[in-house]
Structure formats: structure tokens, C-alpha cells
Amino acid sequence: MAQYAPHELAQKLKDGLLSFPVTAFTPELAVDEDAYRQHLSWQASFDVAGLFAAGGTGEGFSLTPAEAAQVIRAAVEEVGTKVPVLASAGGSTAQAIQNAQDAEAAGAEGLLLLPPYLTECDQEGLLAHVSAVCSATSIGVIVYNRANAIYSADTVARLAERHPNFIGFKDAVGDIEHLTKVYARNGDRLFYLGGLPTAETFALPLLQLGMSTYSSALYNFVPEFALEFYGDVRRQDHAAVTEKLQRFVLPYLDIRDRVRGYGVSIVKGGLKVVGRDVGGVRPPLQNLTEADLTDLGALIDAAGIRPAPAALTNA
């Protein structure tokens, strides 16, 4: 049972940093629920506004429906009383509806609706797709503006008018004119979430377009740095943001950009480097090379942002 009504969830999420926890895997690439719960517990020990289970950084695209439900339920059970847990839905409309209903049954507070799978979409089709999902669940729904799902300002407004549980707009395109139209048309009816990779790079300029928060992949392995960065953004401290970009974020992007798909792999690599290993990535992604891991560890140390070692627990 969700703790927040959709409009309450939007208010909670819009003024704090958000993150998408990685999904832990065993060496055989099965879901490692124990390691996942330990990671979630650590993530929820900091002042984060919301955690999205089985999302993009959580390799939701590689999870079976049963695994996705398992991951979401584990997240709700482990940290749901401390921080809102949201899920994701994708694929066909029927599959997205099933994902949404499974997420609600597992106790998730809300849902990020990913673009429909591998098909071109126009506005009426997108409207029908999102409407079907919103109608199938009572929890809050956030659309993800990217790839083949580019929502016009009018479509967003129509969805907001039809569905009280439609609460948010996440953008991974960065089209300033488009974002201006969406925000001008819909205003405070929604909250706006930056989703470009790596989000810190774009956070300050997007704040001016109404995007008060963003999803930080870095939070997975350097949470204190990620929270400090978010604080600098919200204060519009240009000097502090630029210093952190130069000290860590931009060199980090250089490593991330060495291989296509490293956007997720480097997050799990970062966890391995800081002593909180949650396993590797599933194909078609590939793990960082040893040289890449060495470079990432050196960068974290040079930036002075290595988190405290994991506490020892009894087996």
C-alpha cells in the first residue's frame, strides 16, 4: 500500500536528489537479492528523495517481469519506510500495464514509464499508451521523454487533465525549446526531472527550465559527492558546480565514453572500486576493463571523494 498520494509523491520528489540503484547480480548473473538489499540500505542512509528500482541504471531492460517484481518488492521491504521506492514500466502497452500493476502490488509509490518498445509513435498513440497505463494503476506515473517517445506540450497537458496520477515529466533529450514549451504549458501541475546522462553535466542549465531535480547515477557509489553537487545546483552556485565538474564529473565522462553502454557499467565499476561490489552487468552490456577500473579508482582518489568503507557484517 503506497504511503503517498500521487500529488504528495510529486511534492516529495521535486525538491531532492533522485537515483536509480543498480541491480546486484551473482557471478552467474542471477539477481543477488542479499547484495541488492545491502546496497539499498546504504543508499537510503543518506538524504535522497527517491529511489527508482529496476530502472535504466538498474538494468531493468534485462530483467524478466518476475525478476523486476522481485527487485521492486525487495526494495520496498528493505527501504520503503525510509525513502519512496518507484518502479519502471516498459515494452508494449500490455507489458507496461502488467509492470505497473506488479509495481503497485509490490508497494511501489510510483512509476517511470519508459518509451514503447521498437516502434515509431505519434502523439495520439503516445496519449493512448500513457492513458492506458495511468488508468491501470493508482500510483503516480512519470513519463520518460526520450527515443521514440517525445511528448508534445499539448500531449502532456492532455494527460495531466485526464489523469490525476500523472505527476511527472523526465527528459533525456535536452531540447531547450521543447522543454520551455512543456513547462510553460503545464507549470506546477507536474514536476520535472532531468534524465540526460550523466545528469550532473546538465543540471544547472536545466534548473532554469523548471527541472528542479534529476536522477544521479553517481549517487550509487559516491553519494556524498552527488548530494553536495545537487546542493550546489539548487543554490545556483556556478563556481562550486564548475569546480566539481572539472574535478570529477568531466574526467569521469571521458572513461564512460570509451565504450558504448558504459553508462551503466561504469556505475557498477565505481561500486567495485570503492569496495561495495554488486557484480557485473548482463549482456549486451560489458564490464569495465581492468585498465578502466584502475583509471576510475585513481580518479575517485584524486578527486578526494572515496566513501567510507563498507561496515563488516556477520555472515
Side-chain angles (χ1 to χ4, degrees), residues 121-131 152 154-155 158 162:
C121 308
D122 212 333
Q123 295 305 304
E124 290 301 319
L126 288 171
L127 180 72
H129 176 70
V130 180
S131 288
S152 72
D154 180 64
T155 298
R158 292 166 71 188
R162 288 185 186 182

Side-chain angles (χ1 to χ4, degrees), residues 5 46 57 61 83 85 107 118 168 179 183 188 205 213 220-221 224 258 264 298 309:
F46 299 92
T57 306
F61 47 83
V83 61
V85 172
L118 201 63
L179 294 177
Y183 184 76
D188 292 337
T213 187
N220 271 276
F221 65 96
E224 291 164 309
R258 290 175 183 176
V264 175

Side-chain angles (χ1 to χ4, degrees), residues 6 16 40 70 125 182 202 253 262 285:
L40 287 165
Q70 174 192 1
V182 171
F202 309 92
L253 300 185
Y262 258 15
L285 302 182

